């Protein structure tokens, strides 16, 4: 049950360590991509959950030139 919840989380949300693993890049390189205009931290209702990003936004910035 817990593993399924974690997998569901990672299908929609990415973290810096997840991106480092997925891309094979260091954190500072990843942060350069995340500073683009199409990527904003995940903040439902304006709440700050730290460096969490919607996977669809990050994938656009990394792999589609957003």
């Amino acid at each position: 049950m817990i593993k399924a919840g974690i997998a569901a989380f990672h299908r929609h949300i990415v973290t810096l360590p997840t991106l480092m693993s997925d891309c094979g890049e260091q954190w500072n390189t990843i942060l350069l991509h995340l500073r683009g205009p199409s990527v904003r931290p995940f903040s439902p209702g304006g709440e700050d959950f730290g460096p969490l990003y919607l996977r669809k936004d990050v994938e656009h910035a990394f792999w589609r030139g957003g």
Side-chain angles (χ1 to χ4, degrees):
M1 181 68 112
I2 292 174
K3 286 185 180 182
I6 292 170
F9 173 83
H10 283 288
R11 278 193 297 274
H12 300 286
I13 304 291
V14 293
T15 63
L16 192 57
T18 301
L19 288 170
M20 290 171 64
S21 175
D22 289 354
C23 301
E25 298 284 348
Q26 294 187 0
W27 65 270
N28 52 350
T29 302
I30 291 170
L31 288 175
L32 288 174
H33 287 285
L34 296 178
R35 289 192 182 120
S38 64
V39 182
R40 294 287 171 248
F42 177 65
S43 61
E47 292 189 56
D48 182 3
F49 292 99
L52 300 177
Y53 300 89
L54 289 174
R55 183 173 289 279
K56 65 181 176 95
D57 294 343
V58 170
E59 287 177 350
H60 184 271
F62 274 73
W63 294 283
R64 295 185 193 108

